[in-house]
Amino acid sequence: MPPIQPGQDPVALFEAHRAEIRRQKLWINLLLLGGFVAMLLWSIDVSRFWPDRLAAGVPRIFEYFGSVLPSFQWDLLFETRNAEGRFPPGSIGFWYNDFWKYLALIWETILMAITATLIATALSVVLSFLAARNLTPAPWVSTAARRFLEFCRGVPEILFALIFVFAVGIGPLAGILAITIHATGALGKLFAEVNENASMKPVDGLTAVGGTWAQRMRYGVLPQVLPNFTSYALWRFEINVRASAVVGFVGAGGIGAELNHVISFYSDDRVTAVLLLVVLTVTAIDLMSERARHALIGKEALK
Amino acid sequence: MTALSFADITDDDVRAVRQSHPQAFGDPVMRMVRIASWTIVIGYLLYSFHLFEFAKIFDSSERAWRLVSRIFYWQDMASWHYDQIYVGIAQTVAMAFLGTFLGTIFALGIGFLAAKNTMPFGVIRHAVRRLLDVFRGIDGVVWGLVFVRAVGLGPLAGVLAIWISDVGNLSKLYSEAIENIDRKQVEGVRATGADPARIIRYGYLPQIFPVFLSLSLYSFESSTRSATILGLVGAGGVGMIIIERFRAGMFDQVAFVVLNILIVIAVIDWGSGLIRKRFIGERGH
Amino acid sequence: MLEFRKLTKEFNAKRAVSEVTLDIPPGQMVGIIGRSGAGKSTLLRMINRLNDATSGQLLHDGRDVTALKGRELRQWRNECAMVFQQFNLVGRLNVLTNVMSGRLFHHGFGTSMLGLFSAHERAFAVRALDRLGMAHVALQQTDTLSGGQQQRVAIARALVQEPKILLADEPIASLDPLNAKIVMDALRAINVEDGLTVVCNLHTLDTARHYCDRIIGMQDGRVVFDGTAAQLTDRMAREIYGAEAAEAFNEALTSTSLGRASIRDVADATRAQARATV
């Protein structure tokens, strides 16, 4: 704001200045809006999100969801197996004919997630100490560790799963390895940020004692960051459960393969049967882990 | 008691200290708990290594080597059909953008339905929240496949998949942001005698807008990542190219495509950082 | 014998410590005084190599400390324990573990990562705490203690290192007068009873005069005074402190001091205090 000259009306000056700022802001905002609209139109065109396709597609969505919903007959709902050992159509038993098979696969999915989370946590603890700029034994180690973590979390799990299915064959091992690598990248970055916020005073203290680098990390830093690490690991576990339910799409174990098979080949109530089980599992694990996290750190400390 | 050296500590000293400060030697119960929990964790890991046949890793060296060498050794780069690759990437970004945009619009309404302070009817709130749980509980790829079954192969299924995931995620985050609103600011505006429209404009919006914008920008970035893999199930975008060339063993091209996607995502990250800075200020969210 | 030979430290072309040449014989209690930024802290931290010298040498019993590396460096650090202004303990660990961490140099990778300390080490750590009257809080989480208590825990950690030299970097600057006295009494007692060399940065003149055999005055990275308390005239001291003279003279925390106490008195006093509060 220019200094007020004698004889000038300060109110008028203020108004003029304000108007100028508003004009500038308006132009930039209009420009951004223009860019936004252009981007929107472009993406509508590129993804072929055209009205005629929508008009044809949307009814089919409702049709499809109508066909995959279970059709219950209320009088048969809790009917058990009949003489031929089958559930009558319209009962819950018919809907969940393959319940035990699904349950076994969900169990495998959860175990995959637990194993991957444990290994990823262990790896990322070590990597995070190397990557944290304030703790790293040498600057180039930090840079190398950071690039490595970026790579790990940059590539989606399912791509890693594709690669590992090729390398170690179809089965849960490929999925575990894929999730482990991706989760290591994500957790390693978060852990490194926690490390960078840790107080260096205890570390100095342990240097003065004559401790090795590992000892300084173990005694000087780990006690400070452990609650945060645990909370992040639990949070990652929730994500890993979702991931391990999906890696089966490319043959990497868990419920995913069944999910893929059911959705691709049937359009009946089996689709909702599997999906519902997956949703229930994921939600239940979310709830439990959220409880644990809140118990670990006050509710506020977590974003 | 004067100067003392470690070498002078005898078993008798240990016994004496054990007597006077028994806790200093560790609580035996806690020690058992600690040992037990480590045993469980390590035992579980060993069991799962066995269950999931981790030994297969060591049998795979030949295939893994072939894969890795192809990833790093790029050949015949002239015949890679770059046009397909870049059209695929553009389609992926477009799908993500459109899906996030539609998701944001829906979440704007649903977020208010799921927030405690704006939706007084518990029944509706809980129903909305459970629906959102379903949207979020099913991964984007699964939604992709579902929509491919419903509307056929192509990017439309991808947009719908991103849209539904984003509605689930954003609505929940929006509703949390609405619940975390600072009531004092609203009361301050109300105290000036403002009408409801102005209360929303000056009391709520300045608090909510930056958070919403920031969440949607972040969502765009993460949707671009998920849009990449939607093609694996035929829901459009560059993923279709990835899976096609992967199946054909052209790992070098897959690596090239992934590298390009990572760059695009980095650019989006940078761009959304700029926008965030402009509308929200340095502190971000 | 600790010999400084033209020891110099530069930070971005600015000299923090400039060609310091000194001899410190074993068993001496040395106080380094000077205003803030005079280079006291840097000098002290160069002794245990928390800061590396830019040029010059530091010899201990003929061994070149400035050239030590790896395990030998850690061994040297283990031999010259340090006490910090902010205590630099691990707040989330209990007191005993903090003290036992003074033995980490003697541990291999495995036992230290698993946190396995022997019964002898535990007994030794308790004895060291007891010497400072702190054994009753051995299992308390360290950051629940007061500053004075934490500093005594830090001294106990230094003691279990069984050092030859004890460095104290402004050990009482964050403490109230009573705790400052307890800590200084403890340092002096260790010096007398264990025969340790104690090198101590002090901001206040009276403390240095009261406790130290020898006072070194620093100004702009140089040693400008080196002698006994009696040799340090008021005029000299005013010159060393410059603009901060008033502060340094007024913070006469030990002006009401009751004379030097033995470490046992310190321990007894705090034990009595602890009993009274229980």
Side-chain angles (χ1 to χ4, degrees):
Chain A
M1 198 162 169
I4 296 172
Q5 305 296 323
Q8 240 177 342
D9 178 9
V11 175
L13 190 70
F14 168 76
E15 287 296 341
H17 185 62
R18 180 162 173 264
E20 191 193 328
I21 287 179
R22 287 191 66 142
R23 233 185 348 264
Q24 272 176 12
K25 268 186 115 171
L26 188 71
W27 270 112
I28 295 175
N29 283 350
L30 273 180
L31 213 68
L32 280 172
L33 188 70
F36 179 80
V37 171
M39 179 91 179
L40 194 61
L41 292 175
W42 173 79
S43 53
I44 287 175
D45 187 53
V46 172
S47 54
R48 284 177 270 158
F49 201 73
W50 299 319
D52 55 321
R53 284 177 63 91
L54 269 183
V58 171
R60 298 226 305 269
I61 298 174
F62 289 105
E63 228 170 83
Y64 177 77
F65 280 107
S67 69
V68 295
L69 284 177
S71 53
F72 293 130
Q73 278 174 286
W74 299 111
D75 49 327
L76 297 172
L77 205 56
F78 301 107
E79 202 71 18
T80 48
R81 291 173 193 276
N82 58 22
E84 294 120 64
R86 288 165 187 258
F87 287 100
S91 67
I92 292 182
F94 182 78
W95 189 30
Y96 272 109
N97 201 16
D98 290 327
F99 181 72
W100 295 108
K101 181 170 130 197
Y102 299 154
L103 207 64
L105 285 170
I106 285 204
W107 179 239
E108 182 181 80
T109 308
I110 296 173
L111 289 189
M112 283 166 64
I114 295 176
T115 304
T117 310
L118 285 175
I119 304 175
T121 307
L123 289 177
S124 47
V125 166
V126 175
L127 282 166
S128 74
F129 286 125
L130 297 173
R133 288 192 196 90
N134 52 341
L135 304 175
T136 190
W140 69 266
V141 174
S142 159
T143 313
R146 280 167 177 278
R147 290 294 96 76
F148 178 69
L149 291 172
E150 267 164 31
F151 166 76
C152 288
R153 68 171 180 278
V155 180
E157 280 116 349
I158 208 155
L159 267 181
F160 277 129
L162 205 61
I163 291 170
F164 281 117
V165 166
F166 179 85
V168 301
I170 286 182
L173 177 61
I176 292 173
L177 294 177
I179 296 168
T180 302
I181 290 188
H182 188 80
T184 302
L187 277 182
K189 181 197 177 218
L190 290 170
F191 286 1
E193 276 168 11
V194 174
N195 284 338
E196 285 177 352
N197 287 326
S199 163
M200 287 302 284
K201 289 199 182 95
V203 183
D204 256 12
L206 287 158
T207 311
V209 159
T212 59
W213 182 81
Q215 288 170 338
R216 297 203 285 268
M217 299 304 115
R218 163 70 176 78
Y219 289 89
V221 186
L222 198 63
Q224 296 185 56
V225 296
L226 200 56
N228 277 312
F229 277 18
T230 320
S231 154
Y232 277 136
L234 277 168
W235 169 77
R236 192 67 217 182
F237 173 59
E238 297 168 31
I239 297 176
N240 286 350
V241 172
R242 286 158 207 263
S244 70
V246 167
V247 287
F249 271 58
V250 293
I255 187 97
E258 185 66 19
L259 209 54
N260 192 358
H261 177 78
V262 166
I263 301 174
S264 301
F265 294 104
Y266 308 106
S267 54
D268 56 18
D269 55 5
R270 273 172 277 196
V271 175
T272 35
V274 188
L275 281 181
L276 187 66
L277 265 184
V278 171
V279 170
L280 286 179
T281 310
V282 166
T283 315
I285 283 174
D286 276 11
L287 281 177
M288 281 191 286
S289 147
E290 210 169 313
R291 280 262 166 89
R293 279 191 285 144
H294 286 167
L296 208 65
I297 301 187
K299 225 178 165 153
E300 294 310 306
L302 269 163
K303 182 182 91 155
Chain B
M1 191 187 324
T2 52
L4 189 71
S5 80
F6 184 62
D8 293 342
I9 298 273
T10 61
D11 290 346
D12 287 337
D13 285 320
V14 173
R15 228 163 289 142
V17 174
R18 213 186 265 277
Q19 203 119 66
S20 56
H21 296 88
Q23 335 84 329
F25 294 84
D27 181 350
V29 178
M30 281 309 293
R31 183 176 304 167
M32 281 318 290
V33 169
R34 222 175 34 229
I35 292 174
S37 31
W38 277 111
T39 313
I40 290 173
V41 169
I42 291 168
Y44 169 79
L45 273 180
L46 291 177
Y47 162 74
S48 78
F49 287 169
H50 170 74
L51 179 73
F52 295 126
E53 303 171 86
F54 269 60
K56 281 201 290 191
I57 295 175
F58 305 104
D59 304 336
S60 65
S61 55
E62 184 267 331
R63 288 169 78 85
W65 173 245
R66 184 142 52 96
L67 187 97
V68 170
S69 56
R70 270 310 291 276
I71 284 178
F72 288 106
Y73 178 55
W74 296 3
Q75 5 173 258
D76 295 333
M77 287 186 64
S79 64
W80 278 11
H81 298 287
Y82 295 97
D83 50 334
Q84 287 177 11
I85 293 175
Y86 288 110
V87 166
I89 291 178
Q91 203 174 54
T92 298
V93 175
M95 279 158 53
F97 187 80
L98 199 56
T100 311
F101 173 72
L102 294 174
T104 301
I105 289 180
F106 276 76
L108 278 176
I110 298 173
F112 283 94
L113 294 181
K116 223 177 243 171
N117 47 349
T118 50
M119 172 40 79
F121 307 112
V123 185
I124 299 180
R125 195 172 66 233
H126 281 290
V128 170
R129 284 188 179 179
R130 290 300 83 77
L131 187 69
L132 294 177
D133 283 344
V134 174
F135 287 3
R136 284 182 302 122
I138 298 174
D139 193 272
V141 181
V142 182
W143 282 122
L145 190 59
V146 167
F147 283 116
V148 164
R149 290 284 290 166
V151 302
L153 291 169
L156 178 60
V159 173
L160 291 170
I162 291 166
W163 164 74
I164 204 161
S165 302
D166 277 5
V167 168
N169 283 318
L170 283 176
S171 302
K172 178 166 189 268
L173 295 171
Y174 280 9
S175 72
E176 280 167 8
I178 296 167
E179 282 174 2
N180 285 336
I181 222 166
D182 181 6
R183 298 199 61 80
K184 285 190 218 101
Q185 294 186 34
V186 179
E187 272 158 23
V189 177
R190 185 171 291 140
T192 64
D195 55 78
R198 272 157 216 260
I199 292 174
I200 289 176
R201 166 67 184 82
Y202 292 100
Y204 287 93
L205 217 56
Q207 292 191 56
I208 298 177
F209 174 73
V211 183
F212 279 18
L213 181 72
S214 170
L215 289 172
S216 284
L217 282 171
Y218 177 74
S219 182
F220 174 44
E221 189 198 322
S222 79
S223 295
T224 315
R225 291 175 198 276
S226 30
T228 307
I229 51 175
L230 279 172
L232 299 192
V233 294
V238 72
M240 289 166 104
I241 293 166
I242 291 178
I243 189 104
E244 177 191 296
R245 302 200 177 171
F246 188 91
R247 295 254 150 88
M250 304 166 179
F251 305 127
D252 46 356
Q253 296 193 37
V254 173
F256 175 78
V257 174
V258 171
L259 200 65
N260 273 282
I261 293 166
L262 291 182
I263 293 169
V264 168
I265 288 173
V267 169
I268 291 175
D269 188 27
W270 170 78
S272 61
L274 285 186
I275 296 176
R276 223 176 251 143
K277 221 186 240 172
R278 165 156 178 81
F279 286 102
I280 303 158
E282 288 288 348
R283 72 204 153 79
H285 178 68
Chain C
M1 177 84 106
L2 202 56
E3 302 164 62
F4 297 71
R5 298 278 170 268
K6 290 194 168 181
L7 206 61
T8 300
K9 173 72 185 176
E10 287 173 3
F11 290 109
N12 303 325
K14 194 189 166 294
R15 279 200 168 186
V17 172
S18 185
E19 301 196 347
V20 168
T21 300
L22 283 174
D23 286 342
I24 299 179
Q28 209 168 42
M29 179 139 178
V30 182
I32 305 177
I33 58 168
R35 69 182 92 158
S36 348
K40 310 187 295 268
S41 209
T42 312
L43 184 69
L44 208 66
R45 287 168 70 94
M46 276 196 288
I47 298 178
N48 71 349
R49 295 273 308 275
L50 284 183
N51 287 347
D52 280 328
T54 313
S55 65
Q57 263 188 329
L58 177 67
L59 306 172
H60 180 251
D61 295 340
R63 179 167 53 149
D64 186 358
V65 171
T66 35
L68 294 177
K69 267 192 208 144
R71 187 178 161 79
E72 287 190 320
L73 173 60
R74 287 189 290 109
Q75 181 170 7
W76 165 244
R77 282 175 176 156
N78 185 56
E79 281 170 24
C80 59
M82 189 171 215
V83 172
F84 298 82
Q85 179 180 348
Q86 298 292 336
F87 331 124
N88 292 17
L89 298 166
V90 188
R92 295 188 56 94
L93 292 180
N94 67 24
V95 167
L96 190 73
T97 313
N98 263 299
V99 176
M100 289 190 298
S101 75
R103 305 280 320 161
L104 279 177
F105 172 73
H106 304 279
H107 276 263
F109 180 78
T111 54
S112 61
M113 289 304 111
L114 293 174
L116 299 176
F117 293 96
S118 69
H120 278 68
E121 283 174 315
R122 288 170 187 275
F124 188 42
V126 172
R127 284 275 156 89
L129 278 170
D130 196 36
R131 238 185 124 185
L132 289 139
M134 295 294 293
H136 61 287
V137 294
L139 292 175
Q140 225 162 298
Q141 191 171 316
T142 307
D143 53 16
T144 62
L145 302 183
S146 74
Q149 289 179 309
Q150 289 198 40
Q151 195 59 294
R152 276 179 280 158
V153 173
I155 295 173
R157 173 170 75 179
L159 281 180
V160 302
Q161 284 179 242
E162 300 186 278
K164 294 176 182 150
I165 300 171
L166 179 61
L167 310 172
D169 188 7
E170 303 273 13
I172 56 169
S174 311
L175 303 181
D176 61 84
L178 176 66
N179 275 305
K181 179 172 153 41
I182 293 174
V183 165
M184 284 311 296
D185 284 346
L187 288 178
R188 180 67 197 184
I190 288 165
N191 168 251
V192 172
E193 290 165 17
D194 301 30
L196 282 184
T197 312
V198 175
V199 185
C200 192
N201 278 343
L202 291 166
H203 192 71
T204 53
L205 185 58
D206 267 19
T207 320
R209 277 204 163 128
H210 189 81
Y211 287 99
C212 301
D213 304 324
R214 175 180 174 191
I215 293 175
I216 291 170
M218 284 188 76
Q219 204 178 19
D220 300 329
R222 283 170 204 287
V223 173
V224 292
F225 175 83
D226 187 355
T228 62
Q231 288 168 333
L232 182 66
T233 60
D234 267 13
R235 232 194 79 209
M236 190 69 223
R238 276 184 198 287
E239 205 184 306
I240 292 171
Y241 280 104
E244 288 174 21
E247 193 194 334
F249 281 75
N250 281 337
E251 271 177 31
L253 74 98
T254 50
S255 54
T256 55
S257 120
L258 315 163
R260 287 171 188 165
S262 92
I263 194 162
R264 197 176 317 176
D265 297 333
V266 176
D268 288 347
T270 46
R271 265 194 290 271
Q273 220 178 346
R275 266 195 296 277
T277 51
V278 164

